[in-house]
Amino acid sequence: DIQMTQSPSSLSASVGDRVTITCQASRDISNYLNWYQQKPGKAPKLLISYASNLETGVPSRFSGSGSGTDFTLTITSLQPEDIATYYCQHYDNLPMYTFGQGTKLEIK
Amino acid sequence: QVQLQESGPGLVKPSQTLSLTCTVSGGSISSGIYYWSWIRQPAGKGLEWIGRLFTSGSTNYNPSLKRRVTMSVDSSRNQFSLKLSSVTAADTAVYYCARGDYGEYYFDYWGQGTLVTVSS
């Protein structure tokens, strides 16, 4: 099974900061990596698919990059409404959908 | 706009079967270009994929849950369902239904989630 490891597990940043969250796969997954945002008490929301494809309606301050085993979600200027837990997710042909353990983002 | 809504008992006794239904509105569950999944999240923890269902009836399950899970579809009601047998306290979680696009590998629409507690 492929393991997805996110870091950090939690993060505190100030409004306007640049924030970076990483996700590492246990083996090469090409660009089959998606990112979700989950606000407290809500369902996850798809932000980015195929590592870097921003979903319609997602603010442009969000971006994704990476390929192979190492991936990054970046928020260029943190806003108060970005407070959430962020998850990466991979699909393999077992089939199996695997989520990272999540990164909880808080405002400093 | 597609919407998904989970429903079912919020409390299930240990060793019994958890049964949930997801009602899809704003589109046909039988369109053939989508698949339908269940995902769960224990309180304060991460997301775990349970399984997926194609409207052809084909299913795939998480190997760790496979022997206890059954998913089915009722196209006439635009619903799909989850049954998880022999539940324990470890199955206490918020259960989400979600839609995937055939040929894609992500979930683009989610229900709001429903909390199921396993307790006597």
Side-chain angles (χ1 to χ4, degrees):
Chain A
D1 290 4
I2 295 176
Q3 306 302 315
M4 308 301 295
T5 303
Q6 281 183 241
S7 61
S9 56
S10 65
L11 174 59
S12 182
S14 299
V15 172
D17 281 355
R18 179 185 181 93
V19 171
T20 299
I21 297 168
T22 65
C23 181
Q24 185 171 57
S26 57
R27 63 175 172 86
D28 189 333
I29 61 169
S30 184
N31 68 337
Y32 292 109
L33 190 284
N34 308 306
W35 290 99
Y36 297 84
Q37 175 194 64
Q38 185 179 33
K39 295 185 177 181
K42 301 294 186 182
K45 172 189 173 183
L46 179 66
L47 294 180
I48 289 169
S49 60
Y50 294 103
S52 61
N53 182 43
L54 198 67
E55 294 299 302
T56 302
V58 175
S60 59
R61 63 180 179 274
F62 289 91
S63 65
S65 64
S67 183
T69 61
D70 296 302
F71 302 86
T72 300
L73 172 68
T74 299
I75 308 172
T76 53
S77 178
L78 184 67
Q79 299 301 304
E81 60 266 32
D82 300 335
I83 297 314
T85 300
Y86 292 85
Y87 292 94
C88 60
Q89 174 254 313
H90 168 65
Y91 167 87
D92 66 45
N93 288 326
L94 288 176
M96 182 68 184
Y97 298 80
T98 303
F99 293 88
Q101 77 274 25
T103 296
K104 186 175 183 179
L105 178 56
E106 298 174 325
I107 293 286
K108 193 180 291 183
Chain B
Q1 178 79 346
V2 173
Q3 292 185 316
L4 291 79
Q5 178 69 59
E6 305 88 350
S7 59
L11 182 63
V12 181
K13 288 182 167 51
S15 81
Q16 294 191 342
T17 296
L18 177 161
S19 296
L20 294 174
T21 297
C22 182
T23 301
V24 179
S25 59
S28 173
I29 199 171
S30 302
S31 68
I33 61 172
Y34 303 114
Y35 57 87
W36 308 91
S37 272
W38 289 96
I39 296 157
R40 70 181 183 178
Q41 184 173 38
K45 296 188 177 181
L47 300 158
E48 180 181 35
W49 176 71
I50 298 170
R52 72 178 179 183
L53 169 72
F54 295 85
T55 50
S56 63
S58 174
T59 55
N60 303 107
Y61 302 135
N62 185 324
S64 69
L65 299 168
K66 186 175 183 176
R67 64 178 181 85
R68 298 195 291 133
V69 173
T70 303
M71 294 177 60
S72 59
V73 63
D74 185 343
S75 298
S76 66
R77 296 187 176 188
N78 232 34
Q79 296 176 335
F80 64 103
S81 65
L82 168 70
K83 292 188 185 300
L84 181 66
S85 64
S86 305
V87 297
T88 69
D91 295 309
T92 294
V94 174
Y95 285 75
Y96 295 100
C97 56
R99 189 187 82 169
D101 201 328
Y102 189 76
E104 306 290 359
Y105 306 110
Y106 49 75
F107 304 105
D108 56 359
Y109 286 94
W110 296 63
Q112 65 185 25
T114 188
L115 174 63
V116 179
T117 301
V118 179
S119 175
S120 55

